[in-house]
Amino acid sequence: MFVVVGATGNVGRTLSSLLATSGSAVTAVSRGRRPITLPDGVRHHRADLERPESLSPTLTDAEALYLLVEGAGAHLDMREILRVAEASGVERIVLQSSQAVVTRPDSPSHTPLNAIEDLVRRSGLGWTILRPGGFASNALAWAEPIRGSRMVSAPFGDVGLPVVDPADIAEVAAAALLDGSHNGRTYELTGPALSTPRERVADLAAALGEPIGFVHQTPDEAREQMLRFMPPPVVEGTLAILGTPTNAEQRISPHVAEVLGRPPRPFADWATRTIAAFR
């Protein structure tokens, strides 16, 4: 049996479905009280990582755990979460971390994830660590202005990053959960090519069949907007990656192809699959 923490997110929802399709028993864990739609045969359990003991009932008989922490996880007692997992008989953990753990090791927004990775590696459990770069699904932040005015405002319009499709992250996660040969591996997950915000808007326009305008934001304008829903350290870390990516952050990783035996999906593929959200 597999347990997926963060099952309502862009990765967890798809991962739960993939595992269920494989014939595995799956428990999807989320913190919220809202009803959620799950694939047939997937059990739902409410738990809060801030209360590690709330995980115990769902980890009994679990072979492996997919662990996603909100934000950078600085507020969590990861030692206790890992103790609960081990005491429940969990053998392996697949941790969703971030590429910025290695590309921005001194960034306050990602330092806690570095510590979490280290605890997972030293836990005595089998482990696989996934380090995705920027998500293609971050473009959902543009859904409302596209629906309302067919217009997008974004900073750094011509700076490219190899954004990764969450479906690819979910497929790599499923492979790591189902096959113990991925134990001890760390995978950096990116898309197949650099993609700028302006190019992603063009891909959305092509999928929509209508033009979408692009307005270049200043960094200060973007900062003001992002501070409405993100803490300041995360805002500054995000703006740094978006505006002045390092060579490592623009590098195309081979790991999706190595694990899945096919190239990663381009942003245009994600845009086509999710265009209903922008209509």
Side-chain angles (χ1 to χ4, degrees):
M1 193 263 284
F2 299 103
V3 174
V4 178
V5 173
T8 59
N10 292 317
V11 175
R13 191 183 309 113
T14 301
L15 174 57
S16 297
S17 180
L18 289 169
L19 293 171
T21 300
S22 77
S24 302
V26 183
T27 297
V29 176
S30 66
R31 184 175 64 175
R33 293 287 178 183
R34 293 180 300 173
I36 65 174
T37 301
L38 293 170
D40 291 343
V42 175
R43 184 177 62 144
H44 181 229
H45 179 79
R46 289 189 177 90
D48 188 341
L49 291 180
E50 293 187 24
R51 295 186 300 109
E53 70 279 3
S54 67
L55 283 172
S56 292
T58 198
L59 293 177
T60 303
D61 300 323
E63 174 186 346
L65 167 67
Y66 185 77
L67 187 57
L68 167 66
V69 298
E70 293 186 0
H75 58 297
L76 299 177
D77 185 348
M78 186 56 57
R79 286 184 175 85
E80 182 61 13
I81 291 170
L82 292 170
R83 188 200 67 75
V84 169
E86 183 176 15
S88 301
V90 171
E91 299 173 1
R92 294 181 286 115
I93 289 181
V94 176
L95 173 69
Q96 181 178 312
S97 183
S98 170
Q99 180 191 58
V101 165
V102 289
T103 63
R104 309 271 172 167
D106 299 322
S107 170
S109 60
H110 291 90
T111 298
L113 270 177
N114 202 336
I116 288 172
E117 282 193 12
D118 188 53
L119 287 171
V120 168
R121 283 190 293 265
R122 294 191 289 108
S123 67
L125 301 173
W127 57 267
T128 306
I129 293 173
L130 309 185
R131 291 177 178 160
F135 283 34
S137 54
N138 289 343
L140 287 169
W142 299 336
E144 185 176 347
I146 289 176
R147 288 195 302 266
S149 62
R150 296 294 189 260
M151 187 69 66
V152 165
S153 298
F156 314 116
D158 297 307
V159 177
L161 288 168
V163 295
V164 61
D165 192 319
D168 284 346
I169 303 172
E171 286 194 35
V172 172
L177 288 167
L178 291 166
D179 183 352
S181 69
H182 297 280
N183 277 355
R185 298 292 304 275
T186 299
Y187 295 123
E188 184 174 313
L189 308 179
T190 73
L194 296 180
S195 170
T196 70
R198 199 184 304 274
E199 289 168 339
R200 294 196 285 279
V201 170
D203 286 335
L204 288 165
L208 189 63
E210 297 182 29
I212 301 172
F214 184 88
V215 176
H216 189 272
Q217 280 183 320
T218 67
D220 285 342
E221 290 170 338
R223 180 179 292 105
E224 180 181 355
Q225 184 178 28
M226 294 164 70
L227 283 170
R228 297 171 192 165
F229 57 91
M230 296 167 64
V234 177
V235 169
E236 295 308 320
T238 300
L239 286 172
I241 293 171
L242 294 177
T244 55
T246 65
N247 289 338
E249 287 160 348
Q250 291 188 308
R251 184 175 58 232
I252 311 303
S253 169
H255 290 159
V256 169
E258 288 177 4
V259 175
L260 302 182
R262 62 160 177 80
R265 296 174 174 94
F267 179 84
D269 188 275
W270 179 89
T272 299
R273 295 198 326 269
T274 59
I275 198 60
F278 299 86
R279 293 196 184 281

